[in-house]
Amino acid sequence: MPRPAIPATGRPWNALSAELEAAKAADYSWRRGRMAVYFYYLDEALHRVQQEAYKAFWTENNLGQRAFPSLKRLEEEVVGMGLGLMNAPDAAGGTFTSGGSESIFLSMLAARERARKGRGLAPGRGNIVIPDSAHLTFDRACWYLGLESRRIPVGEDFRADVPAMARAIDAGTVAIVGSAPCYPFGVFDPIPALGALAEQQGLWLHVDACVGGFLSPFVARLGHPVPDWDFRVPGVTAISADIHKHGMAPKGASLLLLREEALRGLHRFESRAWQRGPYAAYTSQGTRPGGAVAAAWAVMNYLGEEGYLDCARRIMAAKRTMTEGIGGIQGLSVLEPSDLSLFVYRATDPALDIGKVAAALDARGWLPGRQQQPDGMHLHLNPVHAEVAEEYLADLRAAVEEARGGATTARVAAEARTY
Ligand SMILES: Cc1ncc(COP(=O)(O)O)c(C=O)c1O
């Protein structure tokens, strides 16, 4: 492809708008629930609220809260609502970030700084001890921060092996991690046991609730069993919770919540290295889109607890329909346990190639989420799946038949997945 260049003369918006729409032709349809990753969709009404609220602040810069006290207030309200939902103590504080990765990065930075300031950890040293099911973005944070990531195999129930994690801790450990739930298997790590370990060793415990933060409180209220994981658990220092996942806000919205407001200073950058006055920020971004905060605020107020309960109800109904349906297909089985909106299924019949099933589903317009160890298919459901669960099952049955019949030669390899 020749290198694209800025055109010599501009083109009218209606032509560009049509071209943008046309560019989506080969995309998988999130509106029809064709992907169980990357997307969270309820209905057109919420979609409009997201767009309109974003548009209301689409050009304001949230770096400049002195200029935009409106955004300061909206952000404080969003953080406050998150702290309330996660049962944070009065002294707690939080930061609105661009996503789970930034929340986790800032938390690991704060943990490292606490170890440097509090116990003289030398620059270039330090490690974190995490279950092997923790999101890879922890390894990215370690890469940025010069920390070692110590991944400890999970137990047979896919949950963190706390005694094994305890054995991996040494004088350089700055944090331990648990997920609520983890992305690969959808299970909660034993946060109370991790909290006890953190208290005993004086360590920072980060609970990654990027997926579960805005879903599990409502799933619990519906009466489903949900393990303890939030600030009510002693020893939990920090929680990441994504508003742009089950908080249903548009992309670019997450929270890093800390048990004590004062801990936020550990991830605050401030410099006076030039002569033009100080520069300070709690996030790793400079310019920040005002629209992301405004839209998160609007979605939280639009849905209210009632709306979030409805989302949780739809997701759990979809999960039940899908897991029961998949369990009824000969040669497939759903991996147990799975606590929330994510699950994995795999082929138990050696004659059935799950890679071919994935390819046959792909040919029917479903984005396959392949997973290794165990070799299977991964789904992260959102509210729209309640409407398409039966359609998925019908296509899955056909895909299994096709894979067994050998008609499909293409495979979707497990390692092909990126997320
Ligand atoms: C458990 C978990 N943690 C962290 C992340 C990273 O979040 P983000 O993609 O918003 O940076 C994800 C993303 O899927 C996740 O599932």
Side-chain angles (χ1 to χ4, degrees):
M1 181 176 131
R3 179 186 289 168
I6 295 175
T9 53
R11 284 185 286 151
W13 165 239
N14 57 5
L16 298 174
S17 157
E19 208 172 312
L20 286 177
E21 269 317 303
K24 295 184 181 180
D27 290 359
Y28 293 80
S29 169
W30 45 264
R31 225 181 223 109
R32 294 170 57 226
R34 275 4 187 209
M35 58 188 85
V37 62
Y38 306 132
F39 222 90
Y40 304 82
Y41 176 65
L42 175 64
D43 56 24
E44 286 305 289
L46 178 63
H47 199 64
R48 262 195 308 280
V49 171
Q50 295 174 337
Q51 285 180 329
E52 294 299 320
Y54 205 104
K55 226 165 65 182
F57 279 82
W58 71 275
T59 196
E60 275 78 1
N61 185 347
N62 197 18
L63 173 66
Q65 293 193 343
R66 211 159 39 94
F68 304 113
S70 53
L71 286 171
K72 183 172 185 308
R73 181 177 73 76
L74 294 176
E75 182 165 334
E76 281 168 0
E77 291 190 21
V78 168
V79 170
M81 288 188 272
L83 288 169
L85 189 62
M86 319 282 151
N87 293 295
D90 290 346
T95 302
F96 185 94
T97 74
S98 61
S101 296
E102 190 185 12
S103 294
I104 286 167
F105 168 77
L106 294 175
S107 180
M108 297 301 100
L109 168 63
R112 188 195 72 178
E113 289 307 289
R114 188 169 78 158
R116 282 189 181 175
K117 292 188 166 91
R119 52 187 161 99
L121 181 80
R125 303 291 302 273
N127 66 72
I128 63 171
V129 174
I130 67 178
D132 194 26
S133 54
H135 198 277
L136 283 172
T137 204
F138 282 98
D139 294 68
R140 170 169 37 194
C142 284
W143 180 48
Y144 291 165
L145 294 166
L147 295 170
E148 177 199 347
S149 160
R150 295 187 175 168
R151 291 192 159 262
I152 310 302
V154 292
E156 281 182 3
D157 57 358
F158 307 114
R159 302 185 201 274
D161 179 343
V162 180
M165 286 177 67
R167 287 193 293 277
I169 292 169
D170 63 16
T173 303
V174 304
I176 59 174
V177 169
S179 304
C182 68
Y183 192 82
F185 308 112
V187 299
F188 285 69
D189 289 320
I191 304 302
L194 288 168
L197 178 61
E199 284 198 318
Q200 185 204 341
Q201 304 267 354
L203 285 170
W204 185 280
L205 169 58
H206 181 94
V207 175
D208 179 8
C210 282
V211 166
F214 282 87
L215 178 61
S216 62
F218 300 104
V219 167
R221 280 184 219 177
L222 292 176
H224 297 274
V226 172
D228 295 339
W229 63 271
D230 67 16
F231 282 113
R232 285 172 293 187
V233 178
V236 171
T237 321
I239 291 176
S240 49
D242 288 355
I243 324 179
H244 67 196
K245 291 193 172 73
H246 290 292
M248 303 303 292
K251 310 273 184 283
S254 171
L255 293 175
L256 172 62
L257 305 176
L258 302 178
R259 186 177 280 281
E260 290 165 37
E261 164 73 27
L263 295 173
R264 292 181 68 226
L266 294 165
H267 64 73
R268 181 173 184 270
F269 173 79
E270 178 167 351
S271 179
R272 294 165 191 268
W274 67 14
Q275 307 309 312
R276 303 184 53 236
Y279 176 97
Y282 284 97
T283 62
S284 53
Q285 306 162 78
T287 291
R288 295 199 294 156
V293 178
W297 179 92
V299 166
M300 290 164 100
N301 282 291
Y302 172 79
L303 286 176
E305 292 189 340
E306 205 182 13
Y308 283 119
L309 279 169
D310 179 46
C311 290
R313 202 175 288 115
R314 288 174 195 238
I315 289 169
M316 296 315 276
K319 183 179 173 191
R320 187 169 174 178
T321 305
M322 287 172 106
T323 52
E324 285 181 0
I326 292 166
I329 299 175
Q330 215 187 352
L332 293 182
S333 99
V334 175
L335 214 62
E336 292 286 348
S338 126
D339 295 323
L340 212 60
S341 54
L342 304 116
F343 66 92
V344 174
Y345 65 89
R346 61 197 165 131
T348 43
D349 175 355
L352 183 61
D353 182 337
I354 196 77
K356 288 188 175 177
V357 175
L361 276 173
D362 198 2
R364 288 167 172 77
W366 301 92
L367 177 72
R370 293 281 279 118
Q371 157 143 335
Q372 290 170 286
Q373 286 187 348
D375 190 10
M377 293 275 279
H378 180 275
L379 287 107
H380 180 185
L381 303 181
N382 73 78
V384 74
H385 288 112
E387 288 159 39
V388 300
E390 294 292 355
E391 237 183 296
Y392 182 84
L393 290 172
D395 278 351
L396 178 58
R397 284 184 204 106
V400 167
E401 283 311 303
E402 204 174 305
R404 281 192 193 283
T408 309
T409 48
R411 297 186 80 252
V412 175
E415 62 276 15
R417 189 173 68 141
T418 52
Y419 57 85

